């Protein structure tokens, strides 16, 4: 039974770093929404006369957000259908609050929670200051809106509960506040590939 592993969490939490490390070790397909959507988002935002690096404004969310999730899930589901363990990275904020979302996605490829091992690693940090420090340190133009609108952006960093009907053992919340990423990685690995 192939695995579909989601790495969720706020910007700067380290979800991509952990997801890549797990994918590398277990040779799982890797799909990061930010990477998959980037060319289309830059084109769409530019055509609208908006900042092509913006990934957080209401305009970006209206024009690009849903497209990014559709592109990402189509690619991921194609690999799940091939029986390949698949790792998906993104915030998935709306999606995780919708109870039947994961079942609807799996049904697109004739699958269900009965024949697909869906797991979630929700990555978070201990406090807002740590998120800020890590976001600043990565020096990405994609973070400029976040930093310029920090007071409103921080609402997106609140830990969310995953509403999908998964066994409790399939969803793990991991504090990635330690400097050594291997601390969180060993916990991710234990829960995703135990």
């Amino acid at each position: 039974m192939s695995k579909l592993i989601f790495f969720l969490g706020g910007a700067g939490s380290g979800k991509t770093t952990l997801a890549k490390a797990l994918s590398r070790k277990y040779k799982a397909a890797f799909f990061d929404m930010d990477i998959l959507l980037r060319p289309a988002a830059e084109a769409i935002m530019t055509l609208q006369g908006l900042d092509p690096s913006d990934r957080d404004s209401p305009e970006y969310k209206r024009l690009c957000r849903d497209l990014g999730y559709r592109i990402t899930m189509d690619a991921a589901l194609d690999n799940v259908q091939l029986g390949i363990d698949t790792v998906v990275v993104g915030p998935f904020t709306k999606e995780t609050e919708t109870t039947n979302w994961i079942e609807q996605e799996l049904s697109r490829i004739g699958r269900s929670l009965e024949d697909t091992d869906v797991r979630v690693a929700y990555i978070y940090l201990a406090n807002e200051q740590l998120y800020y420090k890590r976001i600043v340190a990565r020096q990405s133009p994609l973070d400029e809106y976040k930093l310029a609108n920090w007071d409103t952006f921080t609402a997106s960093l609140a830990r969310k509960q995953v509403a999908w009907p998964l066994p409790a053992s399939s969803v793990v919340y991991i504090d990635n506040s330690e400097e050594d990423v291997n601390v969180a990685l060993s916990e991710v690995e234990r829960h995703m590939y135990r």
Side-chain angles (χ1 to χ4, degrees), residues 1-192:
M1 178 184 307
S2 59
K3 293 181 185 296
L4 174 56
I5 301 172
F6 289 88
F7 278 77
L8 312 177
S13 63
K15 60 188 176 293
T16 300
T17 300
L18 291 168
K20 282 184 175 181
L22 189 77
S23 295
R24 185 179 302 112
K25 182 167 184 177
Y26 290 93
K27 307 299 182 226
F30 174 82
F31 300 96
D32 185 329
M33 192 200 63
D34 286 341
I35 294 168
L36 293 170
L37 178 61
R38 186 168 295 151
E42 288 175 355
I44 291 167
M45 295 296 279
T46 299
L47 287 170
Q48 294 295 314
L50 301 167
D51 178 1
S53 296
D54 173 11
R55 294 296 179 274
D56 295 286
S57 72
E59 294 84 6
Y60 166 80
K61 290 181 178 165
R62 180 178 60 81
L63 294 167
C64 302
R65 183 204 184 277
D66 291 345
L67 174 64
Y69 284 104
R70 186 71 272 137
I71 290 169
T72 303
M73 288 308 299
D74 284 353
L77 290 169
D78 201 37
N79 279 268
V80 168
Q81 195 169 33
L82 293 170
I84 299 168
D85 284 359
T86 303
V87 172
V88 178
V89 181
F92 287 85
T93 47
K94 255 187 349 189
E95 293 74 13
T96 55
E97 295 171 352
T98 305
T99 306
N100 63 345
W101 181 84
I102 189 60
E103 293 166 305
Q104 288 176 339
E105 287 296 309
L106 290 171
S107 73
R108 295 169 68 91
I109 58 167
R111 290 286 198 97
S112 71
L113 290 172
E114 300 295 317
D115 55 20
T116 307
D117 185 4
V118 176
R119 294 178 183 248
V120 175
Y122 194 105
I123 312 302
Y124 68 94
L125 300 177
N127 57 61
E128 263 180 41
Q129 293 77 22
L130 198 45
Y131 282 102
Y132 187 84
K133 178 182 169 189
R134 289 194 183 171
I135 290 170
V136 168
R138 62 190 190 184
Q139 297 182 0
S140 170
L142 302 179
D143 292 329
E144 288 175 9
Y145 183 92
K146 293 175 185 70
L147 296 171
N149 298 277
W150 187 254
D151 289 341
T152 54
F153 174 74
T154 55
S156 73
L157 301 176
R159 249 182 9 194
K160 313 280 189 289
Q161 291 300 311
V162 178
W164 303 340
L166 301 175
S169 61
S170 294
V171 180
V172 62
Y173 291 82
I174 297 174
D175 183 345
N176 189 30
S177 299
E178 294 288 329
E179 288 294 323
D180 181 1
V181 71
N182 291 311
V183 173
L185 181 59
S186 63
E187 193 173 348
V188 167
E189 188 174 3
R190 185 165 51 87
H191 287 281
M192 300 301 120

